[in-house]
């Protein structure tokens, strides 16, 4: 068990809808990362927060947004969903924000858009 | 649930043999590297890391080798066991401090 908790585990929704994915980092970790894993693209970095502030941005669509709250949990919001958004979404946390310590991953949220 | 798609390179080894999984990284400025293991239905699990000022690092049954000259990273698993069957990813920290993952290698352990 990595100590990172993601909810829900599974989510099925229709095109055009909006969903929120939630992540609780390991105790003591200040940095949260979101990754998308689809069948044909491996793990794609979306966004990173450190102690409530956005630290780095990857290939995150404008329809997607995230935030990290004062208690350090994070949410990833996906809107105007398309079929191609179906994927596994992973949250990871680390102690530092500079990417020089291991990321510890949750078990992901599997999103299916129908 | 599957972790990644069907088109991964696959390494098949006999139980008890040593495994070597290779990774070519892209950025000569990358200074930190990590190997992850991902089992079906789970998130990537940290195995071992190495900084660019090192060539080799050993853990329990695993060794990571870094060759900066040719931008190559390898993970050696000694006495491979059925529980080692998984997809293995290398990741590099790039110059903007993001951790970028490779495409993965599937390891199959034959009994």
């Amino acid at each position: 068990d990595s100590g990172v908790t993601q909810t829900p585990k599974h989510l099925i929704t229709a095109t055009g809808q909006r969903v929120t994915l939630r992540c609780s980092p390991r105790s003591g970790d200040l940095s949260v990362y979101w990754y998308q894993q689809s069948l044909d693209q491996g793990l794609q970095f979306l966004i990173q927060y450190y102690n409530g502030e956005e630290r780095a941005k990857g290939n995150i669509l404008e329809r997607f947004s995230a935030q990290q709250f004062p208690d350090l949990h994070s949410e990833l919001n996906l809107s105007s969903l398309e079929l191609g958004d179906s994927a596994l979404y992973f949250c990871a946390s680390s102690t530092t924000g500079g990417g020089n310590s291991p990321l510890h991953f949750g078990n992901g949220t599997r999103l299916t858009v129908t | 649930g599957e972790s990644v798609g069907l088109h991964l390179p696959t390494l098949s080894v006999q139980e008890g043999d040593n495994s070597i999984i290779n990774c070519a990284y892209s950025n000569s400025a990358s200074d930190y590297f990590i190997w992850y293991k991902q089992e079906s239905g789970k998130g990537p699990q940290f195995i071992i890391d190495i900084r660019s000022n090192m060539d080799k690092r050993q853990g329990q049954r695993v060794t990571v080798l870094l060759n900066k000259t040719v931008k190559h990273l390898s993970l050696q698993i000694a006495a491979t066991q059925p529980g080692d069957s998984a997809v293995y990813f290398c990741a590099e920290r790039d110059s903007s401090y993001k951790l970028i993952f490779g495409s993965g290698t599937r390891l199959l352990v034959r009994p």
Side-chain angles (χ1 to χ4, degrees):
Chain A
D1 183 7
S2 69
V4 177
T5 303
Q6 290 188 248
T7 57
K9 291 184 180 179
H10 301 278
L11 202 48
I12 301 174
T13 189
T15 55
Q17 295 298 305
R18 172 190 169 95
V19 297
T20 297
L21 282 54
R22 183 188 169 100
C23 170
S24 293
R26 289 190 321 163
S27 177
D29 284 357
L30 298 179
S31 199
V32 169
Y33 305 74
W34 287 97
Y35 282 81
Q36 180 191 58
Q37 187 175 47
S38 50
L39 285 179
D40 58 354
Q41 291 192 13
L43 279 155
Q44 298 294 317
F45 170 71
L46 295 178
I47 198 163
Q48 177 202 354
Y49 282 83
Y50 178 76
N51 204 19
E53 300 290 326
E54 183 183 304
R55 174 63 64 97
K57 221 168 186 177
N59 301 320
I60 188 166
L61 300 172
E62 287 191 10
R63 300 184 285 109
F64 296 0
S65 64
Q67 55 184 329
Q68 186 180 28
F69 294 88
D71 66 354
L72 300 177
H73 91 271
S74 178
E75 292 181 355
L76 179 66
N77 300 296
L78 314 177
S79 61
S80 302
L81 284 167
E82 302 175 359
L83 295 177
D85 297 327
S86 295
L88 274 165
Y89 291 85
F90 286 105
C91 170
S93 71
S94 69
T95 51
T96 67
N100 58 354
S101 61
L103 274 60
H104 299 272
F105 285 80
N107 282 327
T109 293
R110 179 175 294 281
L111 173 67
T112 302
V113 182
T114 62
Chain B
E2 73 282 3
S3 57
V4 287
L6 305 174
H7 306 293
L8 290 175
T10 299
L11 175 66
S12 180
V13 300
Q14 191 73 37
E15 181 179 354
D17 286 352
N18 296 335
S19 301
I20 300 176
I21 300 171
N22 296 304
C23 175
Y25 63 92
S26 55
N27 191 339
S28 57
S30 294
D31 61 354
Y32 177 60
F33 305 87
I34 309 180
W35 279 101
Y36 283 91
K37 172 187 180 182
Q38 188 175 24
E39 297 174 280
S40 182
K42 296 185 178 181
Q45 176 188 358
F46 169 78
I47 302 173
I48 191 167
D49 58 1
I50 188 168
R51 302 190 189 280
S52 59
N53 60 353
M54 301 174 69
D55 297 323
K56 178 180 179 178
R57 190 162 187 228
Q58 289 184 291
Q60 186 177 13
R61 276 201 313 120
V62 294
T63 300
V64 55
L65 298 177
L66 175 63
N67 185 331
K68 295 180 286 293
T69 301
V70 295
K71 294 189 286 186
H72 183 268
L73 195 67
S74 68
L75 177 71
Q76 300 177 2
I77 304 173
T80 312
Q81 302 168 0
D84 295 327
S85 292
V87 176
Y88 289 80
F89 293 96
C90 65
E92 62 181 297
R93 184 177 81 144
D94 70 7
S95 53
S96 59
Y97 306 119
K98 296 193 294 289
L99 203 60
I100 307 300
F101 282 76
S103 54
T105 296
R106 189 183 306 276
L107 177 65
L108 294 176
V109 182
R110 304 188 304 273

